[in-house]
Amino acid sequence: MTALGAVFVPMLPPERLRPIVRAADEAGLDELWLWEDCFFESGIATAAAALAYSERLVVGVGLLPVPLRNVAITAMELATLHRLFPGRVRVGVGHGVQDWMGQVGARVESPLTLLREQLDALRALLRGEEVSCQGRYVRLDKVKLRWAPEQPVPVLAGATGPRTLRLAGAAADGTILTGGTTVEQLRAARVQLDAGRAEAGRTDPHPVTVYLHSATGPDAAARMETERVEWRYDTMAGRSAVGDGAEVAASARQWVEAGADAVILQPTADDPDPEGFMRFVAQQVKPLL
């Protein structure tokens, strides 16, 4: 069964989070996703608030940039969220935008090595293991969480390029694909993920979450054109779902058929009614997907 969700875009101020979460929760939305984009809002702080504001909503963070974070801190934060809200947390880690990493002095010579070391250490820590390692970037000496999650929890990875996708298949428990990913790119990503899984001998499920630009309402096409310019796409054709519930569901179904396990609709930054968008996704799109 495909999960359907929506994004709380960080272009909105943090104080807008609570009413939007409440609208999503009451409407029956499956998942609400947040970003830790520089330099907008913290992914962990907003996730904790969203989980507390809601009764049943699954909250995802896609993604936490690993150059900004010591893996022990990330493990402590994720373990705390999973203990407080078991079964309702989805978090991914990734390279982060390299220009942003450079702005804060955190850019590394080998992002791929850093991501692999962080994934390996993070997954082990969340399993409750004592971890010692002396990697190129990750160095831990007998680190063990006092309050590890009581149940196994997935660690997702954000990926775009083929090498990172293969790494995600080998070392992560699922993958997040960014907005603007076409159906063809999703299929190609699945090939790389499966290759990485095969190399690592993994046979466990590997769910793929895809963000999909979306807009509804009388000015939807104009707002999506603004998104195209902002994200520097040559076209939004094959990269978005625009229209009423039936039209958006029909578009989203293409990504489902191409291998997405969760489709997360990403509203435009200038959506005039973010609460209404949550209700639209849950009540008009979800029944048709």
Side-chain angles (χ1 to χ4, degrees):
M1 183 176 178
T2 303
L4 183 67
V7 179
F8 173 87
V9 292
M11 297 78 177
L12 295 171
E15 57 268 25
R16 293 297 307 277
L17 180 65
R18 184 170 185 168
I20 291 171
V21 168
R22 290 289 178 84
D25 201 34
E26 293 168 2
L29 190 69
D30 293 337
E31 301 183 4
L32 180 73
W33 281 73
L34 310 164
W35 300 346
E36 186 165 84
D37 274 8
C38 300
F39 300 97
F40 291 92
E41 293 153 1
S42 158
I44 296 299
T46 50
L51 288 159
Y53 291 152
S54 62
E55 298 295 329
R56 41 154 297 280
L57 199 59
V58 170
V59 175
V61 181
L63 46 75
L64 303 177
V66 295
L68 292 179
R69 296 176 155 272
N70 183 288
V71 69
I73 292 294
T74 301
M76 290 164 60
E77 291 179 326
L78 297 193
T80 301
L81 288 180
H82 281 286
R83 297 277 301 215
L84 290 171
F85 308 100
R88 295 177 53 204
V89 184
R90 306 280 188 273
V91 177
V93 297
H95 298 311
V97 176
Q98 294 306 295
D99 287 346
W100 291 341
M101 300 304 100
Q103 280 184 269
V104 297
R107 192 166 187 165
V108 298
E109 185 176 347
S110 178
L112 205 66
T113 300
L114 172 59
L115 182 58
R116 179 60 190 252
E117 291 180 359
Q118 285 246 1
L119 281 169
D120 289 347
L122 181 58
R123 293 177 69 231
L125 288 167
L126 291 174
R127 289 193 297 266
E129 299 174 12
E130 180 180 279
V131 179
S132 294
C133 59
Q134 290 295 317
R136 182 174 179 180
Y137 300 108
V138 176
R139 300 175 183 179
L140 302 175
D141 181 16
K142 297 181 180 179
V143 176
K144 182 180 174 66
L145 295 179
R146 176 63 181 85
W147 299 108
E150 295 185 312
Q151 301 295 328
V153 299
V155 176
L156 312 181
T160 52
R163 294 175 65 199
T164 307
L165 286 164
R166 291 172 80 97
L167 170 59
D173 303 306
T175 296
I176 303 166
L177 300 179
T178 186
T181 300
T182 67
V183 168
E184 293 75 17
Q185 289 170 329
L186 170 56
R187 292 195 181 102
R190 273 288 191 187
V191 172
Q192 296 294 336
L193 291 169
D194 289 344
R197 283 161 47 78
E199 290 168 3
R202 297 190 64 167
T203 58
D204 51 324
H206 190 96
V208 173
T209 298
V210 181
Y211 291 131
L212 178 59
H213 293 283
S214 184
T216 190
D219 61 346
R223 286 188 285 112
M224 194 55 70
E225 172 60 17
T226 300
E227 290 287 288
R228 183 195 69 77
V229 174
E230 176 67 23
W231 291 92
R232 301 179 183 178
Y233 300 133
D234 56 349
T235 178
M236 292 305 291
R239 301 181 188 274
S240 62
V242 178
D244 60 19
E247 291 170 317
V248 171
S251 294
R253 199 172 298 117
Q254 299 176 60
W255 278 263
V256 175
E257 294 169 352
D261 298 283
V263 176
I264 311 302
L265 300 182
Q266 177 179 323
T268 62
D270 59 351
D271 190 295
D273 183 10
E275 291 88 350
F277 184 82
M278 300 295 156
R279 290 188 286 267
F280 166 75
V281 174
Q283 297 173 351
Q284 297 186 44
V285 180
K286 179 181 175 181
L288 302 176
L289 190 61

